[in-house]
C-alpha cells in the first residue's frame, strides 16, 4: 500500500503553512521514518548508521557483490551514504524471511523512484482528488540486495548501478527524504528557540548560520515545522485532562456555559471548543463580523489556542468562544465551525476573517456558505516581508508601493493596473507566491471587500479585531497549567475596559465642534469612541464640495471632491424621497458609519439630522438594550427636524422641475408665475387655518360631541324625511369636525408614543448607570482586598 506524498521546501522562501518542493516524493512501504502526520505532512526522526572502519575510505567506495557488512542496518546506512554522494534517495523495498523462525534473511534497498504508483481505484472512485500528487516513481531499477550468511554477517547479493532519471546536484541532496535528519543537538536548539517564541522560519535562519549553510543543516524548514508541531501536540496530550476538568467545572457552575469535544472524551484525540455565557450573549449584539484567530500556528504561542473574536460598540475586542486545535484536518475545522455555530444559536455572521489557508477556506465554504470570507491582509503583508525578502533588500521602495497599491486603490480597475505595473517593474510576473495571492485578491484586497460589513473604521489602519484578544496574557512560554488563570485574567481585564468605556460614554459629553444638529444628535446616540470617528468625518465635510451632475427625478447624482483636488472625485447617489445615499467609497457598507462624501451631500441638500436607518444600533450606547433604536428618534425635536427635512427636500425637488419647465418660453413663464402666486396664497391660508385649528381644538371637540348627540336625538324622534333632511344639511359639517378631531388624536398618540420611547430610553440609561456603579464598587472592593 502506498502512503501520501510529502512536499519539501528547498529554500527559506516557504510560508509557515505552505507546501514546499517535492524531490523524491513518496513514503516507502513499511518505512519507520515517519513520526505521523498532522495536516497532510509527515515529520522525520532519522538516525544515521555509518559502517565501521575507515569512514573516509567507505565514503569513496561503490557497492559491489560479495561486499560484507556487520548488520542489515550497516548495509542500509552504507547504501544511503553512497546515494547521498551520487544524488538520489533510497528506501527499503522487499524482504525474505526464514521458514524456520520468521527472521529476515534477505533485504533489498532501492532508489526512491523504483516502481510505479499503484492507483487504487477504490480509494479514489467516490471522491474528488483536490490536490493531485506529482508522479515521482518512474520505474528506476537501481538497487542493492543483501542476504545474511551463516556467520551472521550480511553480504551484497546484487547491485544495479544505473538510474533511468536525472540525479540531484550536491546542493539539493539535503532535500531528499532518506538524507534528511534532525540531529540531537539540532533538536535541543529547536526546543530552546521554540520556547522563546520563535517560529520555524526564524529558527531555520539561526540553524543555517550556525551550521554554515542550508545543505549542512541536514533537513528543511518543513521538517523543522513538523517537529515543532509534534512537540506541541505531545506536550498537550498529557495535559488535556486538565482542560476537560476545567470546562466541566465551569459548566457545573453555569448551565449556559457551552463546551464540546470532538470524538470521545475518554479517548480524546480531537479538538475542544467552549464559550462562556458572556461570549454567547455578546455574539447576539456584535456577531455580525467575526475573526478566527490562529496566531498560534506561527508558533508565537506554545498552546494550539484559537479564539473567535469580534468588536463591541466601543471598537474593543470581544470574545465569541475559544478552541484548542489538536487536529488541523479539514474535517476537524468543519466540526469546529459547526460546533461554534450551534453555540451561537445557529446564526451565521455576515463576514469572517481568517489567515490565508486553503484548508480553513474549504471548511468555511461548507459551514458558512453565505458568509463573506476574508483573508487577513496584515498576515499577508507579514508574509510579503518573508517571501519577497530578496526583492525588499534590492528595492527598499517596493514595500511602500505594494502597500499603496493594496490600500489606496479606489477601484478594481485601478488596483489591477497598479498590481501589474509593480509586477512588471520588479520582474515578479512568475513569482509563485505573488501569483497565488493575486489569484485570491477578492478575499483580501480592500477594494473588492468594501461592499461587506467588517466593522472597521479605516481601510488603511489595522483593526483591533486583528490583534489577539489575549495579547499580553498568553505568550510563547504559557503552559496549560498557567493558561486557566491567565485566560480568566484576560476576560476580567477586557470586561473592566468595556465597563469603563460604557461609563465614559454615559457620563461624559463630548466636545462639539460645529453647530450642526446632526453632530449633537450623533453625540447622544453613539458611544464616545464611535462618535469621535463620526465627528472626524462630519468636520471633514467643510473641506469638500458636492456638485450635482445628474437628476432623474427620484435619484440625484453628485460628484464630491476636496477643495483643490478636483482630480480625485467620489460619486454619491442620493434618493431624496427615501433619504438614502450610496457613495463609491462604500464606507457605510464596510464600517457602518457615513462617510464625509455622503455627509457633504446631506449638508448641501439641507438634511439637518441623520436618518435613523444610518444609525446602526451596534455602534450606539444602547447596543445591548432591548429597546429598538431604529424605530424611534431621540425626541420630538429630532422627529420634527427629520420630517421637515423630508418635506423641504421633496418640495425643492419638485420646484426645480417646475422652474426648468416654466422658464422655457415667455408664455410658460407667465403661467408659472400666476400658478406660483395662486399657490402662495393657498399656502398662507393653510398656515392660518392650521393656527386657528390649534386654538379652537377644544371648542371643536365639544361642538362635535354636541352635534353627534343632537343628530342621534333627531334621528330617534323625527320620522323619515326629517332625519334625511338633517343628514343632508349637517352631516358634512359633522364629518369634517370629526376628521379634524381624529387628526388631533393621532398627533397626540404620536406624542405619547415618542414620550413613552423616551421614557424607555431613560430607564435603560438608568439601568446601565446602575450596572456600571455596581461594577465600580466591585472593582473598588477588589482593590481594597
Amino acid at each position: 500500500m502506498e502512503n501520501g506524498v510529502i512536499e519539501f521546501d528547498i529554500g527559506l522562501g516557504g510560508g509557515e503553512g505552505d507546501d514546499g518542493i517535492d524531490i523524491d516524493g513518496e513514503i516507502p512501504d513499511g518505512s519507520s521514518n515517519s513520526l505521523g502526520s498532522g495536516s497532510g505532512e509527515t515529520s522525520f526522526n532519522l538516525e544515521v548508521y555509518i559502517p565501521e572502519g575507515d569512514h573516509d575510505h567507505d565514503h569513496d567506495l561503490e557497492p559491489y557483490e560479495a561486499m560484507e557488512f556487520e548488520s542489515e542496518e550497516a548495509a542500509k546506512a552504507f547504501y544511503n551514504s553512497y546515494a547521498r554522494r551520487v544524488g538520489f534517495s533510497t528506501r527499503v523495498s522487499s524482504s525474505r524471511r526464514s521458514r524456520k523462525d520468521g527472521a529476515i534473511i534477505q533485504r533489498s534497498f532501492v532508489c526512491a523512484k523504483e516502481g510505479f504508483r499503484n492507483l487504487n481505484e477504490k480509494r479514489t472512485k467516490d471522491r474528488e482528488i483536490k490536490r493531485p500528487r506529482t508522479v515521482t516513481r518512474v520505474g528506476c531499477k537501481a538497487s542493492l540486495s543483501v542476504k545474511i550468511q551463516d556467520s551472521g554477517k550480511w553480504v551484497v547479493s546484487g547491485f544495479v548501478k544505473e538510474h533511468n532519471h536525472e540525479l540531484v546536484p550536491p546542493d539539493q541532496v539535503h532535500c531528499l527524504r532518506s538524507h534528511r535528519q534532525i540531529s540531537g543537538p539540532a533538536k535541543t536548539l529547536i526546543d530552546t528557540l521554540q520556547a522563546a517564541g520563535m517560529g520555524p522560519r526564524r529558527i531555520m535562519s539561526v540553524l543555517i548560520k550556525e551550521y554554515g549553510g542550508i545543505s549542512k543543516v541536514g533537513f528543511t524548514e518543513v521538517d523543522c515545522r513538523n517537529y515543532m508541531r509534534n512537540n506541541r501536540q505531545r506536550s498537550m496530550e498529557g495535559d488535556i485532562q486538565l482542560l476537560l476538568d476545567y470546562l466541566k467545572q465551569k459548566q457545573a457552575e453555569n448551565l449556559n456555559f457551552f463546551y464540546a469535544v470532538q470524538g470521545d472524551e475518554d479517548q480524546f484525540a480531537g479538538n475542544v471548543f467552549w464559550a462562556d455565557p458572556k461570549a454567547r450573549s455578546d455574539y447576539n449584539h456584535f456577531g455580525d463580523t467575526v475573526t478566527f484567530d490562529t496566531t498560534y500556528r506561527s508558533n508565537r504561542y506554545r498552546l494550539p489556542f484559537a479564539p473567535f473574536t469580534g468588536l463591541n460598540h466601543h471598537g474593543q475586542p470581544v470574545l465569541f468562544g475559544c478552541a484548542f486545535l489538536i487536529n488541523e484536518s479539514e474535517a476537524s475545522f468543519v466540526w469546529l465551525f459547526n460546533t461554534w455555530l450551534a453555540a451561537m444559536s445557529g446564526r451565521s455572521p455576515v463576514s469572517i476573517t481568517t489567515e490565508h489557508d486553503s484548508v480553513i477556506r474549504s471548511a468555511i465554504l461548507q459551514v458558512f456558505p453565505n458568509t463573506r470570507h476574508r483573508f487577513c491582509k496584515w498576515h499577508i503583508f507579514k508574509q510579503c516581508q518573508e517571501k519577497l525578502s530578496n526583492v525588499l533588500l534590492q528595492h527598499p521602495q517596493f514595500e511602500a508601493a505594494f502597500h499603496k497599491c493594496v490600500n489606496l486603490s479606489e477601484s478594481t480597475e485601478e488596483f489591477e493596473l497598479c498590481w501589474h505595473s509593480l509586477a512588471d517593474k520588479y520582474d515578479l510576473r512568475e513569482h509563485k507566491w505573488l501569483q497565488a495571492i493575486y489569484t485570491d485578491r477578492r478575499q483580501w484586497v480592500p477594494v473588492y471587500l468594501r461592499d461587506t460589513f467588517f466593522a472597521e473604521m479605516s481601510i488603511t489602519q489595522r483593526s483591533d479585531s486583528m490583534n489577539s484578544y489575549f495579547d499580553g496574557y498568553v505568550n510563547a512560554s504559557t503552559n496549560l497549567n498557567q493558561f486557566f488563570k491567565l485566560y480568566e485574567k484576560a476576560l476580567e481585564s477586557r470586561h473592566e475596559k468595556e465597563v469603563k468605556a460604557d461609563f465614559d460614554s454615559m457620563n461624559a459629553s463630548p466636545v462639539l465642534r460645529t453647530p450642526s444638529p446632526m453632530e449633537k444628535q450623533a453625540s447622544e446616540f453613539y458611544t464616545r469612541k464611535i462618535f469621535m470617528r463620526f465627528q472626524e468625518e462630519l468636520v471633514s465635510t467643510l473641506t469638500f464640495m458636492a456638485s450635482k451632475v445628474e437628476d432623474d427625478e427620484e435619484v440625484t447624482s453628485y460628484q464630491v471632491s476636496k477643495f483643490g483636488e478636483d482630480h480625485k472625485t467620489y460619486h454619491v447617489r442620493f434618493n431624496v424621497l427615501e433619504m438614502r445615499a450610496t457613495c463609491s467609497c462604500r464606507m457605510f457598507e464596510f464600517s457602518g458609519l457615513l462617510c464625509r462624501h455622503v455627509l457633504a451631500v446631506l449638508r448641501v441638500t439641507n438634511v439637518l439630522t441623520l436618518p435613523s436607518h444610518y444609525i446602526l444600533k451596534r455602534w450606539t450606547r444602547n447596543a445591548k438594550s432591548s429597546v429598538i433604536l431604529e424605530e424611534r428618534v431621540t425626541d420630538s425635536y429630532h422627529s420634527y427636524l427629520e420630517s421637515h427635512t423630508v418635506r423641504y427636500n421633496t418640495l425643492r425637488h419638485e420646484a426645480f422641475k417646475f422652474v426648468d419647465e416654466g422658464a422655457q418660453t415667455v408664455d410658460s413663464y407667465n403661467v408659472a408665475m400666476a400658478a406660483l402666486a395662486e399657490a402662495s396664497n393657498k399656502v398662507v391660508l393653510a398656515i392660518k387655518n392650521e393656527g386657528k385649528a390649534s386654538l379652537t381644538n377644544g371648542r371643536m371637540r365639544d361642538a362635535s360631541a354636541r352635534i353627534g348627540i343632537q343628530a342621534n336625538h333627531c334621528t330617534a324622534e323625527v320620522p323619515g324625511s326629517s332625519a334625511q333632511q338633517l343628514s343632508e344639511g349637517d352631516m358634512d359639517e359633522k364629518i369634517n369636525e370629526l376628521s379634524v378631531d381624529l387628526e388631533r388624536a393621532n398627533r397626540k398618540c404620536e406624542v405619547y408614543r415618542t414620550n413613552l420611547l423616551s421614557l424607555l430610553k431613560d430607564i435603560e440609561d438608568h439601568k446601565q448607570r446602575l450596572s456600571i456603579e455596581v461594577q465600580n464598587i466591585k472593582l473598588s472592593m477588589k482593590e481594597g482586598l
Side-chain angles (χ1 to χ4, degrees):
M1 175 179 142
E2 184 180 31
N3 292 327
V5 171
I6 298 183
E7 297 180 350
F8 303 113
D9 195 347
I10 291 180
L12 292 178
E16 298 285 33
D18 297 337
D19 300 320
I21 300 173
D22 180 72
I23 289 185
D24 61 351
E26 311 189 26
I27 304 173
D29 298 341
S31 169
S32 60
N33 291 345
S34 173
L35 288 177
S37 63
S39 57
E41 297 173 328
T42 304
S43 57
F44 298 89
N45 186 14
L46 309 180
E47 298 295 337
V48 174
Y49 298 91
I50 304 297
E52 296 179 3
D54 185 346
H55 293 180
D56 292 335
H57 178 67
D58 287 340
H59 285 181
D60 293 334
L61 286 176
E62 186 178 272
Y64 56 89
E65 290 197 24
M67 187 177 188
E68 290 188 344
F69 298 94
E70 292 297 322
S71 65
E72 176 195 347
E73 288 298 335
K76 175 183 175 183
F78 176 82
Y79 189 55
N80 198 50
S81 178
Y82 162 76
R84 184 181 181 92
R85 296 197 312 274
V86 173
F88 67 96
S89 181
T90 66
R91 59 184 172 85
V92 178
S93 181
S94 59
S95 61
R96 286 181 57 196
R97 294 182 179 272
S98 169
R99 294 181 180 178
K100 294 181 180 178
D101 56 10
I104 294 175
I105 58 175
Q106 183 174 338
R107 177 76 79 179
S108 293
F109 308 106
V110 298
C111 171
K113 293 182 178 291
E114 178 268 347
F116 296 94
R117 177 175 299 164
N118 177 23
L119 295 176
N120 189 331
E121 292 185 2
K122 291 182 180 180
R123 292 171 55 194
T124 59
K125 183 178 180 181
D126 299 325
R127 65 183 179 90
E128 179 184 355
I129 300 175
K130 295 182 180 179
R131 292 179 56 191
R133 298 178 297 170
T134 55
V135 176
T136 54
R137 295 193 180 186
V138 295
C140 182
K141 300 295 184 183
S143 64
L144 176 75
S145 298
V146 293
K147 60 182 179 181
I148 194 168
Q149 301 289 87
D150 293 338
S151 62
K153 292 189 176 184
W154 289 74
V155 63
V156 174
S157 57
F159 171 59
V160 178
K161 178 180 178 180
E162 292 75 20
H163 297 261
N164 68 348
H165 55 88
E166 290 186 6
L167 299 176
V168 174
D171 62 338
Q172 294 180 13
V173 167
H174 66 282
C175 297
L176 294 169
R177 180 172 298 109
S178 67
H179 308 310
R180 291 159 56 182
Q181 59 175 320
I182 302 180
S183 64
K187 289 179 182 178
T188 302
L189 183 55
I190 292 173
D191 293 343
T192 303
L193 297 178
Q194 183 180 12
M198 290 178 65
R201 187 173 294 105
R202 292 178 62 194
I203 290 176
M204 281 300 295
S205 297
V206 173
L207 289 167
I208 290 168
K209 292 178 182 176
E210 183 74 18
Y211 285 88
I214 189 169
S215 61
K216 297 180 180 178
V217 172
F219 54 92
T220 68
E221 186 182 320
V222 174
D223 301 322
C224 179
R225 179 167 59 250
N226 292 340
Y227 173 77
M228 293 170 70
R229 186 196 62 236
N230 290 334
N231 264 356
R232 187 166 55 213
Q233 290 182 355
R234 281 195 298 272
S235 66
M236 278 296 299
E237 287 170 1
D239 295 334
I240 201 66
Q241 192 58 45
L242 289 173
L243 173 63
L244 297 179
D245 292 343
Y246 172 82
L247 298 179
K248 288 176 183 177
Q249 178 190 340
K250 286 294 180 182
Q251 192 175 66
E253 294 171 359
N254 191 325
L255 293 178
N256 288 325
F257 187 97
F258 180 99
Y259 86 94
V261 177
Q262 186 180 9
D264 188 355
E265 283 191 33
D266 297 329
Q267 295 183 344
F268 176 78
N271 298 323
V272 182
F273 170 78
W274 73 93
D276 62 27
K278 185 179 185 304
R280 301 176 75 184
S281 173
D282 283 341
Y283 183 78
N284 288 330
H285 306 298
F286 311 115
D288 38 22
T289 184
V290 175
T291 296
F292 180 52
D293 184 359
T294 49
T295 311
Y296 80 89
R297 299 177 99 196
S298 63
N299 289 279
R300 182 178 175 185
Y301 301 150
R302 177 184 296 179
L303 301 172
F305 174 60
F308 291 86
T309 61
L311 288 174
N312 67 11
H313 51 324
H314 301 291
Q316 299 169 331
V318 62
L319 191 65
F320 297 144
C322 302
F324 268 104
L325 297 175
I326 310 301
N327 187 327
E328 296 181 17
S329 65
E330 182 180 315
S332 288
F333 279 117
V334 168
W335 173 87
L336 174 62
F337 293 146
N338 275 319
T339 304
W340 175 78
L341 191 60
M344 302 300 136
S345 303
R347 183 167 64 89
S348 297
V350 173
S351 59
I352 186 168
T353 303
T354 72
E355 69 170 301
H356 188 204
D357 183 271
S358 59
V359 175
I360 293 177
R361 170 166 52 189
S362 180
I364 285 176
L365 281 172
Q366 295 177 56
V367 182
F368 308 114
N370 299 318
T371 296
R372 189 73 178 271
H373 180 202
R374 176 179 69 166
F375 296 132
C376 177
K377 175 181 64 177
W378 303 102
H379 288 173
I380 291 177
F381 281 166
K382 185 179 179 182
Q383 279 188 312
C384 175
Q385 295 174 343
E386 299 156 350
K387 299 284 189 179
L388 301 174
S389 56
N390 292 336
V391 177
L392 294 176
L393 284 173
Q394 295 174 20
H395 308 284
Q397 70 276 17
F398 172 81
E399 187 171 17
F402 181 74
H403 281 233
K404 182 179 178 181
C405 173
V406 171
N407 287 327
L408 302 183
S409 294
E410 295 290 343
S411 65
T412 55
E413 294 79 12
E414 182 182 345
F415 169 76
E416 298 282 349
L417 186 64
C418 181
W419 181 278
H420 293 306
S421 175
L422 280 177
D424 290 336
K425 182 177 179 180
Y426 297 99
D427 194 24
L428 295 171
R429 284 274 185 179
E430 304 302 320
H431 194 282
K432 289 185 178 179
W433 178 81
L434 206 61
Q435 286 303 309
I437 63 168
Y438 174 74
T439 301
D440 292 334
R441 61 193 180 282
R442 288 176 176 81
Q443 286 188 268
W444 68 276
V445 177
V447 73
Y448 292 98
L449 298 162
R450 288 176 184 165
D451 60 344
T452 304
F453 183 74
F454 284 97
E456 291 185 17
M457 295 296 105
S458 170
I459 288 172
T460 56
Q461 294 177 357
R462 179 168 182 170
S463 166
D464 285 341
S465 67
M466 294 297 105
N467 298 327
S468 175
Y469 183 92
F470 294 93
D471 272 358
Y473 297 93
V474 179
N475 56 43
S477 61
T478 304
N479 58 41
L480 199 57
N481 282 319
Q482 302 166 321
F483 172 78
F484 304 122
K485 289 182 180 178
L486 294 172
Y487 166 80
E488 292 186 350
K489 191 174 180 181
L491 294 185
E492 185 177 353
S493 173
R494 292 292 186 185
H495 182 56
E496 287 174 9
K497 289 178 180 178
E498 183 180 337
V499 169
K500 186 178 186 309
D502 282 337
F503 181 82
D504 290 343
S505 292
M506 298 296 291
N507 294 280
S509 299
V511 177
L512 302 182
R513 297 169 60 186
T514 73
S516 166
M518 188 181 290
E519 185 183 17
K520 185 176 188 301
Q521 174 197 17
S523 71
E524 295 169 354
F525 269 118
Y526 289 133
T527 60
R528 188 177 182 84
K529 180 175 180 179
I530 301 305
F531 169 72
M532 299 296 285
R533 183 67 186 85
F534 173 81
Q535 186 182 54
E536 180 185 333
E537 292 297 313
L538 184 64
V539 172
S540 296
T541 63
L542 300 176
T543 63
F544 277 78
M545 297 182 299
S547 305
K548 185 166 67 171
V549 293
E550 187 181 350
D551 191 342
D552 63 357
E553 296 188 4
E554 290 188 2
V555 178
T556 307
S557 298
Y558 293 85
Q559 279 190 351
V560 182
S561 59
K562 196 172 185 179
F563 285 105
E565 296 182 6
D566 296 339
H567 61 284
K568 189 175 183 180
T569 60
Y570 297 86
H571 302 279
V572 176
R573 290 171 56 81
F574 180 46
N575 187 320
V576 68
L577 300 180
E578 297 181 3
M579 296 294 286
R580 293 186 180 275
T582 57
C583 179
S584 57
C585 78
R586 311 304 291 271
M587 177 174 163
F588 181 77
E589 291 82 355
F590 190 74
S591 68
L593 286 179
L594 279 180
C595 63
R596 59 194 64 183
H597 318 117
V598 168
L599 292 174
V601 170
L602 296 183
R603 188 190 76 236
V604 300
T605 53
N606 291 319
V607 177
L608 303 178
T609 60
L610 278 174
S612 57
H613 47 264
Y614 284 123
I615 303 175
L616 295 192
K617 183 179 178 183
R618 64 115 54 236
W619 291 133
T620 66
R621 301 175 182 183
N622 296 306
K624 296 185 177 182
S625 165
S626 58
V627 177
I628 303 174
L629 292 175
E630 287 79 358
E631 291 186 358
R632 66 177 175 88
V633 194
T634 14
D635 51 34
S636 56
Y637 173 62
H638 286 147
S639 297
Y640 160 74
L641 284 176
E642 185 170 325
S643 60
H644 177 270
T645 301
V646 173
R647 293 196 301 270
Y648 176 88
N649 281 283
T650 304
L651 277 174
R652 193 177 69 161
H653 184 77
E654 293 299 320
F656 276 139
K657 290 196 298 181
F658 182 76
V659 169
D660 288 340
E661 293 171 0
Q664 295 294 323
T665 66
V666 174
D667 289 340
S668 64
Y669 169 78
N670 291 331
V671 171
M673 289 300 292
L676 281 175
E678 183 182 354
S680 177
N681 292 332
K682 288 183 177 180
V683 168
V684 170
L685 183 62
I687 292 172
K688 286 181 179 179
N689 289 337
E690 178 76 14
K692 288 179 181 178
S694 298
L695 290 172
T696 61
N697 186 38
R699 288 198 297 272
M700 289 176 72
R701 188 183 300 110
D702 293 339
S704 174
R706 284 198 301 274
I707 290 171
I709 293 170
Q710 289 172 0
N712 289 334
H713 179 70
C714 292
T715 303
E717 293 184 1
V718 181
S721 61
S722 300
Q724 186 177 2
Q725 190 175 10
L726 177 65
S727 173
E728 290 174 352
D730 299 330
M731 286 304 287
D732 286 343
E733 183 180 354
K734 177 184 173 184
I735 289 171
N736 289 335
E737 290 176 352
L738 289 175
S739 297
V740 171
D741 280 350
L742 180 61
E743 177 65 23
R744 299 299 174 203
N746 285 336
R747 291 188 184 186
K748 273 199 171 185
C749 286
E750 188 62 31
V751 172
Y752 292 150
R753 178 177 175 276
T754 302
N755 291 338
L756 179 59
L757 287 171
S758 180
L759 179 62
L760 286 173
K761 175 184 177 297
D762 291 340
I763 291 171
E764 286 291 335
D765 290 349
H766 184 65
K767 188 168 72 173
Q768 242 179 325
R769 287 193 184 94
L770 287 177
S771 174
I772 292 168
E773 288 176 10
V774 169
Q775 291 296 334
N776 287 335
I777 292 170
K778 286 182 179 179
L779 293 176
S780 300
M781 292 175 66
K782 283 185 180 179
E783 291 173 359
L785 295 174

